[in-house]
Amino acid sequence: MSLPKDFLWGFATASYQIEGAVDADGRGPSIWDTFCKIPGKIADKSSGVTACDSYKRTKEDIDLLKSVGAKCYRFSLSWSRIIPIGGRNDPINQKGIDHYVKFVDDLLEADITPLITLYHWDLPEGLDKRYGGLLNRTEFPLDFEHYARVVFKAIPKCKHWITFNEPWCSSILGYNSGYFAPGHTSDRSKSAVGDSAREPWIVGHNLLVAHGRAVKAFRDDFKPTQGGEIGITLNGDATYPWDPEDPADVEACDRKIEFAISWFADPIYFGKYPDSMLKQLGNRLPTFTDEERALVQGSNDFYGMNHYTANYIKHKTGTPPEDDFLGNLETLFYSKAGECIGPETQSFWLRPNAQGFRNLLNWLSNRYGRPKIYVTENGTSLKGENDMPLEQILEDDFRVQYFHDYAHAMAKAVSEDGVDLRGYMAWSLMDNFEWAEGYETRFGVTYVDYANDQKRYPKKSARSLKPLFDSLIKKD
Ligand code: BGC
């Protein structure tokens, strides 16, 4: 038993991935509604139009959470349900607010602690149209702060807030590779707009400032009366040197994490971008004004960690191309000695390696002064799962093993390494819209039958977490 008594565990989801009901109760469109309509962007030509139909099935979802013993649930709000166009002078949609207020009440009634993500990639389309959305350094942070204030005021019962989910993905996948909405890239065969060498760094900066603004608003005007905590969720993979004997590969391992995580975490904990990034990107990385730095530095009550996989890292020599976002290195699944990082899954980027999780927890804990950490996402897809017969899908031993190994690695990071971990949320409560991969890639502990009224079938993994955490959490 090594996890603290009040350790929270449960599941995570995101609004656009599960809600559906895109026109219900006055919701405005988000950039993902628009992106999904562009031919070739989503693998199975799908969208979040129906998804898991969770907007209309809140009771069913809460019953599911209860039946598997979850203590907490992390979900995100659809900004364009609450402010359909998005901006601080635009109309507020009371029906959208009421929906989430009731959902939180119902969760609490079921004894499930809510953790709310304010932004999980579904920016109101209105803001992208009006001023270029995340690219706008002045307007975007102000509009985000306003939206956050509306929500803090409406849902005082929520005590755990996450501003942004994975700003790395919004910046790099949204504005460098164009793989995610709004699909900007320098590759003109994919998009008419975009500058992969500059836009992602601007977007990342604006997201940090918007985070800082929302946190200041929360701490000044809500936290003193309603309590609670707020932080950001960052994603990053673990790294191993491709050749452990080569100091340049060892160094590249840190650089890879700096380009993924410290890009955001260093400004939050230290008030500046990592030296490795400044060195490679020069003045393409925006400079913090004094006001911006004051907003961003010290703006985490906790560190939200999303983590899935690991890579071998091989350094590159020479000047990297302008659109490089990795830090002049290669990510590989095999080491120089031929060791494999982990078995294949359905996701091209994901191979389980639980030891990497423990290593990265230690890396973060050491660099950022032992912050309070919540693992806000961790999970896996399964090679070929979508094509298996239902009976086989429900016996997802691979996923059961993944959670077992990752939870044990995490428990060791706490009991043997002294990492301050407070919670763990498995991704995901149910199969859902896996962004550009559509519905073919499944991450759920619950199977969703999209062809038959979104019926839910808990897989073996859904029931495996309660005994797993019961065995790891101290009783008193
Ligand atoms: C995201 C989720 C996504 C999951 C699996 C995370 O990066 O936050 O929205 O579904 O990874 O790809």
Side-chain angles (χ1 to χ4, degrees):
M1 310 274 181
S2 43
L3 298 173
K5 192 174 167 239
D6 54 357
F7 190 86
L8 283 175
W9 71 267
F11 300 89
T13 60
S15 46
Y16 192 71
Q17 295 184 273
I18 65 162
E19 284 183 350
V22 292
D23 297 320
D25 293 343
R27 176 187 180 276
S30 81
I31 54 173
W32 272 91
D33 294 278
T34 313
F35 188 68
C36 290
K37 289 184 186 141
I38 307 173
K41 299 299 181 196
I42 312 299
D44 57 6
K45 304 185 175 63
S46 66
S47 74
V49 160
T50 311
C52 309
D53 197 31
S54 280
Y55 186 75
K56 298 184 188 143
R57 299 191 195 198
T58 52
K59 183 175 176 326
E60 208 179 309
D61 288 355
I62 293 174
D63 288 347
L64 176 61
L65 284 161
K66 270 188 93 163
S67 72
V68 295
K71 292 207 226 171
C72 68
Y73 183 46
R74 170 181 179 238
F75 61 99
S76 81
L77 308 185
S78 155
W79 182 343
S80 62
R81 287 193 194 281
I82 293 169
I83 310 172
I85 306 174
R88 57 198 184 282
N89 299 311
D90 295 324
I92 291 176
N93 178 32
Q94 193 57 41
K95 282 191 180 163
I97 296 180
D98 293 347
H99 171 82
Y100 292 119
V101 168
K102 178 164 178 354
F103 187 55
V104 166
D105 284 347
D106 293 349
L107 280 169
L108 290 169
E109 176 76 33
D111 213 15
I112 296 166
T113 302
L115 289 92
I116 295 185
T117 310
L118 293 172
Y119 184 88
H120 199 125
W121 309 348
D122 44 356
L123 181 79
E125 170 69 19
L127 300 185
D128 202 50
K129 277 208 193 111
R130 182 178 289 157
Y131 55 67
L134 308 186
L135 280 167
N136 193 305
R137 189 162 173 171
T138 318
E139 295 298 317
F140 174 69
L142 288 171
D143 282 345
F144 183 72
E145 177 190 335
H146 167 75
Y147 156 61
R149 282 180 179 276
V150 169
V151 171
F152 296 147
K153 184 165 175 229
I155 319 182
K157 291 182 192 166
C158 175
K159 306 299 176 196
H160 310 273
W161 298 97
I162 293 151
T163 53
F164 289 97
N165 178 70
E166 305 190 348
W168 183 93
C169 292
S170 298
S171 311
I172 298 298
L173 305 181
Y175 292 85
N176 174 292
S177 64
Y179 184 61
F180 277 6
H184 285 211
T185 173
S186 292
D187 181 345
R188 290 289 165 264
S189 71
K190 293 194 183 135
S191 168
V193 285
D195 179 349
S196 301
R198 281 164 197 81
E199 288 186 355
W201 314 114
I202 296 168
V203 166
H205 190 83
N206 299 345
L207 288 166
L208 275 167
V209 175
H211 157 81
R213 277 200 168 280
V215 170
K216 182 168 168 26
F218 180 70
R219 287 179 179 168
D220 287 353
D221 298 334
F222 299 93
K223 190 170 172 158
T225 48
Q226 62 201 45
E229 55 179 1
I230 188 162
I232 196 168
T233 279
L234 304 176
N235 59 299
D237 307 335
T239 59
Y240 295 92
W242 179 74
D243 177 2
E245 305 298 319
D246 184 345
D249 283 354
V250 175
E251 203 187 309
C253 281
D254 280 347
R255 200 163 63 244
K256 165 75 167 50
I257 302 174
E258 286 169 355
F259 269 70
I261 294 176
S262 309
W263 173 12
F264 302 99
D266 275 18
I268 289 174
Y269 289 92
F270 309 140
K272 63 184 201 54
Y273 287 118
D275 291 339
S276 57
M277 294 185 76
L278 288 162
K279 191 171 160 209
Q280 182 175 320
L281 304 169
N283 61 13
R284 283 186 284 135
L285 214 47
T287 308
F288 285 99
T289 64
D290 290 342
E291 192 203 358
E292 287 175 338
R293 186 178 304 101
L295 284 166
V296 172
Q297 190 169 4
S299 58
N300 253 3
D301 293 337
F302 61 85
Y303 181 101
M305 177 184 190
N306 283 3
H307 181 74
Y308 290 87
T309 190
N311 282 118
Y312 290 109
I313 305 299
K314 190 175 181 197
H315 77 282
K316 282 188 180 170
T317 48
T319 312
E322 264 209 324
D323 64 354
D324 174 61
F325 55 84
L326 288 174
N328 207 19
L329 51 88
E330 268 178 272
T331 59
L332 301 159
F333 290 133
Y334 288 87
S335 71
K336 185 181 182 192
E339 301 137 301
C340 178
I341 203 91
E344 269 188 278
T345 67
Q346 185 62 26
S347 312
F348 64 88
W349 51 271
L350 198 174
R351 286 178 180 238
N353 182 299
Q355 177 62 38
F357 185 29
R358 180 175 176 184
N359 298 348
L360 186 61
L361 279 163
N362 274 281
W363 194 98
L364 294 172
S365 190
N366 292 335
R367 186 169 178 115
Y368 299 114
R370 208 173 164 266
K372 183 202 282 193
I373 299 177
Y374 289 94
V375 175
T376 43
E377 280 180 35
N378 175 241
T380 190
S381 59
L382 237 102
K383 185 95 192 140
E385 187 176 11
N386 193 46
D387 303 319
M388 294 173 189
L390 182 59
E391 312 80 74
Q392 200 181 336
I393 290 177
L394 299 184
E395 295 295 311
D396 59 339
D397 292 297
F398 184 85
R399 192 174 279 111
V400 171
Q401 187 70 43
Y402 180 98
F403 288 133
H404 172 275
D405 295 350
Y406 273 72
H408 278 263
M410 178 174 79
K412 284 194 182 130
V414 174
S415 60
E416 293 174 31
D417 313 334
V419 175
D420 185 7
L421 262 168
R422 307 294 180 95
Y424 174 95
M425 281 135 266
W427 185 269
S428 180
L429 177 63
M430 59 194 133
D431 296 335
N432 56 47
F433 178 67
E434 180 56 8
W435 308 110
E437 290 175 52
Y439 294 96
E440 285 165 5
T441 302
R442 296 175 177 268
F443 268 88
V445 297
T446 305
Y447 175 78
V448 177
D449 187 352
Y450 300 110
N452 289 294
D453 196 32
Q454 280 43 34
K455 195 167 159 36
R456 288 120 161 87
Y457 299 83
K459 305 174 192 175
K460 191 190 255 184
S461 59
R463 298 195 186 85
S464 73
L465 288 180
K466 183 166 172 9
L468 176 60
F469 281 98
D470 281 349
S471 76
L472 292 172
I473 296 175
K474 291 194 184 113
K475 299 281 176 291
D476 50 329

